[in-house]
Amino acid sequence: MNQNNRIVVLGSFVADLAFHVETLPVWGETRMGSSFAVGPGGKGSNQAVAAARAGGNVCFVTKLGQDSFGEMARKLYREEGIDTGFIASTTHPTGAAAIILDEKRGENAIIIVPGACFEITTDEVDRAREVIASSSILVAQLELPVSVVEHGLRMARTSGVTTILNPAPALPLPESIYPLCDYLTPNESEAASMTGIIVDDLAGAERAADALLARGVRNVALTMGANGVFLKNRNLTAHVPAVDAGAVVETTGAGDAFNGGFAVALAEGKDFREAARFACAVAGISVTRRGTAPSMPQRDEVEALLASTPQG
Ligand code: RIB
């Protein structure tokens, strides 16, 4: 591993427009909601914030519009100490996500229009080549064009940088992408959509993880919400329980919290199981708060939670 413990996140920024409603409307119906908030979102950006707050030295690679949403992002990165040296810019609008939160069922539905970040090119990723090559970890998700994600993963792997792919949202992927993943971090539905295997218990998680390892992934961390995370590689099969930080308020962005925390722990040299436990604590705290990026905990909160939680 590189001595420099920098984490590069290659991913999306969009503004999250979150609507809380007691029960979802049906098609054609208008319903009064109970609250509305606009805030920073996008899986890449959320993971960058989670990693920075968890103690990581983070560089975020994306593309933003020159508009108020783009400015929201730039302000956030200034406040969080995230390196913005490789954020490209476009005159096209920054994207947005409509997040509908059903308060009765505790579920959400999201529509994302990625906008400016989806225009990022492989040339723009190439501009970050030196920074990527001298980092410990590259983390990517699937809210950028898959060809750009694959390019970034390949660049990192070629330089011996550890790669994490959070395959969210679920999309068909080329077979060539799997061997570029040191760590793949799907949730249950993403693992099912990639493998065709139903994942609703640990046995299903293991079958799906085996299928992903057979495609060339080196380590699978399959996140299972309140059931924690299932880990598998050639030498390890393990289940790490969720870390309970209190009543669940909103789960949107929990996967991003996990991935940001996981990247920090790996960059610090923690082993697979320890890194997953640290990441579960980051996610555990994030779900006790509203919002996505704003719900990410600071390092001292994560450490306090881990210190007060017996190892499962
Ligand atoms: O993972 C949660 C994120 O997914 C939200 O912030 C939203 O922007 C969508 O990209």
Side-chain angles (χ1 to χ4, degrees), residues 184-189 191-192 199 201-202 204-209 212 220-225 227-232 239 258 272:
L184 190 73
T185 59
N187 65 17
E188 291 152 301
S189 61
V199 182
D201 57 13
L202 290 177
E206 180 159 15
R207 281 194 296 280
L212 295 166
V220 176
L222 200 162
T223 57
M224 305 179 76
N227 293 322
V229 54
F230 178 78
L231 309 179
K232 184 135 194 189
H239 171 239
F258 179 92
F272 192 13

Side-chain angles (χ1 to χ4, degrees), residues 231 240 262 265 269-279 306 311:
L231 309 179
V240 173
F262 190 57
K270 291 187 170 52
D271 69 20
F272 192 13
R273 196 196 294 254
E274 282 178 294
R277 184 162 184 271
F278 183 89
L306 285 171
Q311 294 238 18

